[in-house]
Amino acid sequence: MITKVRTRYFKQFTEQEFDLADHVILAGPNNSGKTTLLQAITIWYLALQKWREWQRHQRRFKPLPVEVQLTRKEFTALPLREMNDLWTDTLTGLRVLTIEVEGVTAQGPWRLAFEFRYQNAELVYVKPSPTHVDQLPRITEDFSVIHIPPFSGIGAEETRYDRPYQDLLIGQGKAGDILRNLLLEVYESEDKAEWKSLCARIEEIFGYQLQPPRYGGAPFIVCEYLRGIPRSADGGEFPELDIASAGSGFHQVLLLLGFFSARPSTVLLLDEPDAHLHVILQKQVYDLLRSIASRRRCQLVIATHSEVLIDGTNPSQIMSFFKHPHLLLSDTDKDQVREALKRLTALDILLAEQSSGILYVEGETDFNLLRTWARVLTHPLSVWFIRSPFWHSNQGRNPREAKGHFFALRAASHALTGILLLDGDNRRLPDREIIAEGLAVERWERYEAESYLMHPEALVRFVVSRGTPLMGEDARRFLQDQLPPAVYRDPLGHHDFWVNTPASKTLLPRLFHAVQLPVSKEEYYLIAEQMLPEEIPVEVRSKLDRMAELFGLGRHPAVESS
């Protein structure tokens, strides 16, 4: 069993340590390093095999060499255009790439690092770390590592391949191209119970009956199945179908079970084994793989995006690749990772790492209004809106969406702060149902954000800018008729009228209809552009101040003096 992996100058990790358990789920976004860890173990094992081969051939005639050669053609762990693609950067000639693995066997714990020195695009030199050479005998010959890349399809025709060529196809991500070879190996093995067990599992899951593979008399391996019903309604036999005619879910499961049966190993690396499987089948196959691995004392290391696999695993056996690779400590950590995989986009994760805070609003209109008001007020937050705005729509009147999204973001950045800005019509929802650690909740005193646009002079100015002075007079008369006199005279004051009036659904559309000016809700921020600083209610400044405080950007001096 492998307990720890350390890499130096390998691909995206300049220096990284990974702690592994007897069964580990690697969970995280795309390009976060899950596959890189699987590749590191695979490359380390390739170096171990190369070294063992050299020892068997040379140990009686020569002392241990300083290095052995590993050519790109021999490098079956993953496809490479040039050998320097293994290094973190272009300083390949100056930096020794190191992959160190610790583990435990019946002989006790061991630790072995291999050093890779770049020679040219086709060649690297490999040697074990001088301090670890004596550990080689402790890693027994029956220690083996198998890497199964994501399933990418199955070929229509497949001849028999020797093991080195099979390994090459696996390294190229073409594991489906050796599926028939795996089935033939299982069928021809001395352990006939293995084939029967494989067939029984396929029939249990899919209801299909695997037929014995055939090779001979034709240049290709023939692998067929029956759909599980021996006879059709008219009494005729159903035809035997080639496995290529089945669905991708069947291929994925058949490939996984084929590897388990044909390649017994001590460490099995699975890259997205849940691909092509619906939710129920993911759970069924995952439980089956763990059961088989437990009986065979095989260590599973699985890279996945599946919520099902994460739900069914103890937190201590989940390695999160959000922020940095680390094993989880609690069920809360697991819940955050699951929600992050479900909710977060790649841009969310990037901004969470770069931004000081996130703003949750009910839609893009609210965001544009706040951004425009910050600019008109020359508020410190205007820089945030220009350079690094990180915001999320809580899908209208669904503030729990914000809570779930922020909870997921904390998996990517635990130090991130947030503010949820709700319309005044959302008062009945208790804060306790939406509050979360690090997330502040604020509500507009008026019915909605658009209510703060309702300054008569600003509205008239906007209408004139889009139309004519005559249209501006029409707008003024409309507002005088529609607004209570006290509200018209003092639009910045506190009035119950604003608390109960949805301006975006009543006053604003009626105003623009009255003056025959087509203005959509998405354009309401243009009204804010026409407002003077003194026409913007103090509460708007207060909300911007609160955001700036949470995001560490300072307060607006106008509020402190008011």
Side-chain angles (χ1 to χ4, degrees):
M1 183 181 84
I2 294 175
T3 58
K4 193 181 294 289
V5 177
R6 298 183 183 90
T7 64
R8 191 177 186 192
Y9 304 130
F10 178 60
K11 300 191 78 173
Q12 70 191 81
F13 295 115
T14 302
E15 196 157 349
Q16 187 62 53
E17 180 174 295
F18 308 87
D19 290 305
L20 303 183
D22 57 341
H23 166 63
V24 185
I25 290 289
L26 312 180
N30 290 323
N31 302 315
S32 60
K34 303 186 299 297
T35 297
T36 300
L37 172 56
L38 300 184
Q39 291 172 342
I41 298 172
T42 306
I43 292 168
W44 176 89
Y45 183 63
L46 177 65
L48 176 63
Q49 289 178 299
K50 183 72 175 179
W51 193 262
R52 282 174 173 170
E53 178 185 343
W54 187 92
Q55 280 188 310
R56 285 193 293 267
H57 184 65
Q58 299 285 354
R59 62 183 177 182
R60 295 183 180 178
F61 309 102
K62 298 180 182 179
L64 291 177
V66 176
E67 297 168 315
V68 296
Q69 294 183 354
L70 185 58
T71 67
R72 189 171 65 88
K73 290 184 178 180
E74 296 174 293
F75 203 88
T76 59
L78 68 154
L80 293 174
R81 184 181 62 181
E82 298 178 350
M83 295 300 285
N84 59 5
D85 289 343
L86 293 174
W87 269 258
T88 301
D89 51 37
T90 58
L91 301 177
T92 52
L94 302 177
R95 292 177 171 172
V96 176
L97 187 158
T98 305
I99 302 175
E100 179 180 310
V101 175
E102 294 183 25
V104 178
T105 65
Q107 286 71 38
W110 52 265
R111 178 181 177 188
L112 177 61
F114 279 103
E115 300 175 354
F116 298 78
R117 184 173 62 83
Y118 178 81
Q119 179 64 23
N120 55 53
E122 297 293 323
L123 177 68
V124 295
Y125 287 100
V126 183
K127 69 174 182 179
S129 171
T131 57
H132 298 162
V133 172
D134 61 339
Q135 298 284 308
L136 279 166
R138 305 194 73 169
I139 307 174
T140 58
E141 289 290 333
D142 61 358
F143 176 85
S144 60
V145 174
I146 297 294
H147 177 213
I148 307 177
F151 181 74
S152 59
I154 180 174
E157 297 175 337
E158 180 184 328
T159 191
R160 195 158 197 170
Y161 304 128
D162 59 20
R163 181 63 180 270
Y165 189 69
Q166 289 185 36
D167 292 341
L168 177 64
L169 291 174
I170 295 170
Q172 293 175 346
K174 301 176 181 178
D177 287 357
I178 68 164
L179 176 54
R180 293 179 176 86
N181 275 269
L182 293 175
L183 296 178
L184 186 63
E185 288 177 24
V186 177
Y187 180 70
E188 292 182 344
S189 68
E190 295 181 0
D191 187 359
K192 301 304 179 183
E194 197 65 52
W195 172 255
K196 292 180 180 179
S197 177
L198 174 60
C199 292
R201 288 167 180 150
I202 291 297
E203 186 166 11
E204 176 185 354
I205 296 173
F206 296 99
Y208 294 166
Q209 298 177 7
L210 283 179
Q211 303 301 294
R214 304 190 304 274
Y215 183 68
F220 306 111
I221 301 172
V222 177
C223 290
E224 297 176 323
Y225 71 99
L226 291 173
R227 283 177 290 176
I229 305 174
R231 293 184 177 276
S232 61
D234 60 4
E237 293 271 344
F238 270 114
E240 295 179 339
L241 302 174
D242 188 84
I243 58 173
S245 65
S248 57
F250 171 74
H251 295 152
Q252 175 79 336
V253 175
L254 190 59
L255 181 70
L256 293 171
L257 296 180
F259 266 103
F260 260 98
S261 300
R263 306 286 176 84
S265 61
T266 50
V267 179
L268 192 59
L269 312 175
L270 306 178
D271 204 345
E272 298 188 24
D274 50 280
H276 312 292
L277 305 181
H278 62 72
V279 173
I280 296 176
L281 192 54
Q282 286 179 25
K283 169 68 173 167
Q284 189 176 2
V285 172
Y286 181 47
D287 290 344
L288 177 59
L289 294 181
R290 288 202 297 182
S291 175
I292 298 173
S294 177
R295 289 198 302 271
R296 296 185 177 181
R297 307 188 71 176
C298 169
Q299 181 182 19
L300 292 180
V301 183
I302 302 175
T304 183
H305 296 97
S306 170
E307 301 168 39
V308 173
L309 270 61
I310 294 171
D311 276 339
T313 306
N314 187 282
S316 63
Q317 296 177 312
I318 299 174
M319 179 179 291
S320 169
F321 278 72
F322 288 97
K323 294 182 288 188
H324 59 84
H326 60 284
L327 291 175
L328 303 183
L329 300 176
S330 66
D331 287 330
T332 300
D333 293 338
K334 182 173 80 169
D335 292 341
Q336 282 185 328
V337 168
R338 184 190 62 240
E339 290 299 306
L341 291 172
K342 180 171 63 176
R343 293 175 179 268
L344 302 186
T345 66
L347 182 59
D348 283 336
I349 297 168
L350 177 63
L351 290 174
E353 295 172 348
Q354 298 178 350
S355 300
S356 54
I358 180 171
L359 167 65
Y360 291 95
V361 287
E362 297 201 2
E364 187 172 5
T365 299
D366 289 17
F367 174 81
N368 288 335
L369 287 175
L370 288 166
R371 179 177 59 184
T372 305
W373 282 325
R375 184 168 66 249
V376 172
L377 293 168
T378 61
H379 194 280
L381 201 64
S382 61
V383 177
W384 179 85
F385 277 108
I386 294 171
R387 296 180 180 175
S388 58
F390 186 20
W391 71 284
H392 184 77
S393 171
N394 60 347
Q395 300 178 5
R397 298 185 60 186
N398 184 14
R400 293 185 183 89
E401 161 65 21
K403 179 180 179 180
H405 185 267
F406 186 76
F407 180 74
L409 278 177
R410 300 280 276 194
S413 176
H414 190 72
L416 188 73
T417 58
I419 180 170
L420 169 59
L421 192 52
L422 298 174
D423 284 350
D425 63 338
N426 233 321
R427 301 181 197 283
R428 294 183 179 179
L429 185 66
D431 282 358
R432 65 177 181 274
E433 295 190 21
I434 52 178
I435 200 168
E437 182 184 356
L439 179 65
V441 180
E442 295 282 333
R443 286 180 169 86
W444 291 112
E445 293 179 5
R446 297 186 180 185
Y447 190 91
E448 58 187 351
E450 289 85 352
S451 302
Y452 297 86
L453 296 171
M454 298 303 299
H455 192 291
E457 297 304 320
L459 288 168
V460 169
R461 196 179 304 119
F462 172 74
V463 170
V464 171
S465 71
R466 298 286 293 263
T468 65
L470 183 60
M471 294 169 65
E473 291 303 316
D474 292 339
R476 188 180 300 278
R477 283 192 295 270
F478 174 87
L479 292 171
Q480 288 174 335
D481 291 340
Q482 296 295 318
L483 298 178
V487 174
Y488 185 85
R489 289 192 305 270
D490 181 21
L492 298 179
H494 295 280
H495 304 285
D496 290 341
F497 178 81
W498 294 132
V499 175
N500 301 310
T501 304
S504 66
K505 299 176 183 177
T506 57
L507 292 172
L508 287 171
R510 292 173 189 171
L511 167 64
F512 297 128
H513 178 73
V515 299
Q516 298 183 342
L517 190 65
V519 179
S520 67
K521 184 177 180 180
E522 289 72 25
E523 297 176 290
Y524 284 177
Y525 74 94
L526 298 174
I527 304 172
E529 287 184 349
Q530 294 292 329
M531 299 180 77
L532 302 177
E534 59 269 22
E535 294 172 344
I536 299 175
V538 172
E539 189 191 350
V540 172
R541 297 189 180 102
S542 299
K543 292 294 191 286
L544 293 173
D545 269 352
R546 178 64 172 140
M547 290 174 56
E549 179 185 354
L550 288 169
F551 299 168
L553 300 175
R555 291 175 57 84
H556 193 280
V559 175
E560 296 180 1
S561 62
S562 60

